[in-house]
Amino acid sequence: MRATLALGLLAALTVTAPAFAVDQVSREEDIVELRLGQRIWVDDGSCPTGQIKEVMGTTLAANGNVARVKKCVPRGGTRVR
């Protein structure tokens, strides 16, 4: 019974994990394609200590490009140097 429950939980986490994934790049120029709702963290040092720049695709323009919104958000987890 426990093994079945554990396997079910593992399968559920595997399916939902990509929905919570956030990519991270070192320069904003490294973002080549941004989809609607996608969030990418940019670690370029432009935000205050303890924060990281988040670039998010918000709306679709008439020309087919995705509009970007940039803001500094709290850094998730610890930073390793």
Side-chain angles (χ1 to χ4, degrees), residues 28 40-42 44 46-47 52-55 70-72:
E28 197 170 340
I40 298 179
W41 290 343
V42 181
D44 60 1
S46 62
C47 290
I52 192 165
K53 185 192 303 180
E54 180 181 76
V55 179
K70 306 169 201 174
K71 62 181 178 180
C72 293

Side-chain angles (χ1 to χ4, degrees), residues 4 10 20 22 25 28 36 41 45-46 48-49 66 71 73-74:
T4 305
L10 181 61
F20 299 111
V22 177
V25 296
E28 197 170 340
L36 284 175
W41 290 343
S46 62
T49 302
V66 176
K71 62 181 178 180
V73 296

Side-chain angles (χ1 to χ4, degrees), residues 24 43-52 75 77-81:
Q24 184 172 335
D43 193 7
D44 60 1
S46 62
C47 290
T49 302
Q51 295 186 349
I52 192 165
R75 197 179 276 277
T78 59
R79 184 174 182 176
V80 179
R81 288 191 172 224

